[in-house]
Amino acid sequence: MTPKAKTRSAAARFLDFFEGQGARRVETDILQPAKVLLDLYGEDIRARAYVTSDALRGEQMMRPDFTVPVVQMHMEHGAEPARYTYAGEVFRRQEEDISRPSEFMQVGYEVFDRENPAAADAEVFALIRQVLAPLGLRAATGDMGILMAAVRGLSTTDRRKAALLRHIWRPKRFRALLDRYTGKANPPETRVALLQAADALEGAGPFIGLRSKSEITARIDALREDAATPPISEAEAGILDDILNLREKSHNVLERLRDISVDLPAISGAVDMMDARLTALSVRGVDVQALDFEGSYGRTTLEYYDGFVFGFYAETRPDLPAVANGGRYDALTSVLGQGRSIPAVGGVIRPELVLELGGAA
C-alpha cells in the first residue's frame, strides 16, 4: 500500500469514528472562491494559499482548509444543531521550510450548536483526545476570547482597539502596535514630519495608486487623531502581558484570570466561559488539573478562532507540527451567514502524522 493510500485508509477510520458520534459526512470543492478568503483575511492569505484564475469564476484558491467551506454550506443549508465530519487534502504554500508538505490530508469534526457552547467545546476536544489516546499526546489549550475581551476592555479609542484586534494573530505586529500605543516606541520620523506639515499633500506629485485624494486625506486625519490620543496606561498594558504570558495548568490559570478580572472586568464573561468549559471537560473524563493552558496559544493559526483553541503534540517528536488542532469560531458564522450566526467549534486531525507516530494501523 502506498503512503497516500495508507493515509486515506487511516482517514477513513477517523471518519467512521466521528460518524459513530452522530456526525454527517460532507465534502467540499478543492477550488474555493478567492474573494471569500481575501475578504476574511486580506491579502496575507495569498502567502499561504495556491491561487489560480478562472476566466468565468475569477480568482480561485486551492482549499487551504475545510472550515470556511463547511461553514458556508451549513449557513446556506444546515439545520440546527448539526455535526459534520469530512476528509480530504488541503494545500498550503511553504516558503521557509521545504521539508514541510504543501499538500496533506485533514479529517475534521465540526459542531454547530447554540444550546451549550462550553459543552460543545468539551465534546470536540474530548472526542479527538479519545481517538488519539493510543499515541499519548500532550494537549495544549488556550482561549482567544479572553485576549480579545481584554483588548476590547482597554481604555482607549475604538480605532486603536480595532487595530490591535486585527493584528492579534500577528504577534510581532501586535507588539509593535501596543508599544506605540503605550508610548514605549516612537513613531517613525517620516510620520512625524507628515503630521506636522500644514498641508501633508503639498508637493506630493501625481496620484498613481488606487486611493483617491479624499481617502488619503482621511487617513492622514486619522493618524493625526491617533497621535493626539493619550497612551494606553502601563497598568492596562501590563494586564495584557500577564494574559499573554500565562503558561500553567488550567485550574491555576482560571484562578489567576479571576484575579485579573477584578482590574479588567471586560474579561469576566470569557473567564466564566472557560470555567464552564473546564467543568464540561471534567464531565467527559478529562483531567483538567493536568491540562496545559497558554495565554498566547492560537495566535499564529488561521484567523477565525475567537474562543477556545487546542492542539495535540507528540512530546517525543518536537519536529512535528500539531497532530490535531482546532477551536471555536463563532464570529466566522456571522460573517459567512450574512447576519445569521450560530456558535460553532471544530477540530482536525492529520492522519499522516498519526501514521508516522505508529497509530491508526
Side-chain angles (χ1 to χ4, degrees), residues 33-245:
K35 184 178 186 304
V36 174
L37 291 164
L38 290 170
D39 287 347
L40 283 169
Y41 311 123
E43 289 293 326
D44 287 355
I45 192 67
R46 288 186 187 276
R48 290 173 284 173
Y50 290 97
V51 183
T52 186
S53 181
D54 185 286
L56 297 178
R57 296 175 178 83
E59 279 193 319
Q60 304 281 296
M61 285 186 181
M62 296 182 72
R63 184 173 59 205
D65 83 333
F66 277 89
T67 302
V68 170
V70 169
V71 170
Q72 285 182 302
M73 177 202 68
H74 175 79
M75 300 312 291
E76 291 175 4
H77 309 294
E80 295 183 20
R83 283 157 177 77
Y84 302 109
T85 187
Y86 50 80
E89 289 83 2
V90 296
F91 306 87
R92 306 272 181 85
R93 289 174 57 184
Q94 305 294 343
E95 297 185 345
E96 296 181 358
D97 186 353
I98 195 170
S99 67
R100 298 188 67 176
S102 57
E103 172 186 347
F104 53 90
M105 180 79 71
Q106 284 185 345
V107 181
Y109 180 71
E110 314 285 336
V111 176
F112 296 77
D113 193 340
R114 66 178 74 250
E115 290 301 316
N116 190 335
D121 285 350
E123 174 185 339
V124 172
F125 178 90
L127 289 179
I128 292 177
R129 172 178 173 269
Q130 178 182 338
V131 78
L132 296 178
L135 297 179
L137 303 176
R138 180 185 77 86
T141 67
D143 195 330
M144 295 297 296
I146 292 171
L147 181 57
M148 295 170 84
V151 170
R152 293 188 181 105
L154 295 173
S155 302
T156 190
T157 63
D158 289 342
R159 192 188 302 276
R160 285 187 170 183
K161 287 187 277 190
L164 288 168
L165 287 169
R166 186 166 60 251
H167 292 289
I168 209 165
W169 292 273
R170 305 173 183 87
K172 290 183 179 179
R173 178 60 177 157
F174 181 90
R175 173 55 57 184
L177 280 175
L178 187 59
D179 286 347
R180 178 150 60 86
Y181 294 159
T182 56
K184 290 183 178 179
N186 295 322
E189 293 182 5
T190 51
R191 176 174 294 184
V192 173
L194 174 71
L195 300 183
Q196 290 177 344
D199 182 358
L201 296 181
E202 183 179 2
F207 293 89
I208 58 176
L210 296 177
R211 291 184 180 179
S212 66
K213 181 177 180 179
S214 61
E215 289 175 322
I216 296 172
T217 300
R219 174 59 179 159
I220 293 172
D221 289 342
L223 291 173
R224 283 178 172 151
E225 178 185 335
D226 185 73
T229 299
I232 294 173
S233 71
E234 289 187 12
E236 287 192 339
I239 289 175
L240 284 183
D241 284 335
D242 284 348
I243 293 172
L244 289 169
N245 292 329

Side-chain angles (χ1 to χ4, degrees), residues 135-138 313-320 357:
L135 297 179
L137 303 176
R138 180 185 77 86
Y313 299 86
E315 291 189 288
T316 58
R317 290 292 305 276
D319 56 308
L320 294 180
L357 293 169

Side-chain angles (χ1 to χ4, degrees), residues 282-311:
S282 293
V283 170
R284 284 188 167 267
V286 177
D287 181 7
V288 297
Q289 302 289 319
L291 187 62
D292 290 335
F293 184 98
E294 302 171 24
S296 284
Y297 189 76
R299 295 182 68 203
T300 56
T301 59
L302 285 173
E303 301 167 15
Y304 44 67
Y305 293 132
D306 54 12
F308 177 52
V309 283
F310 64 86

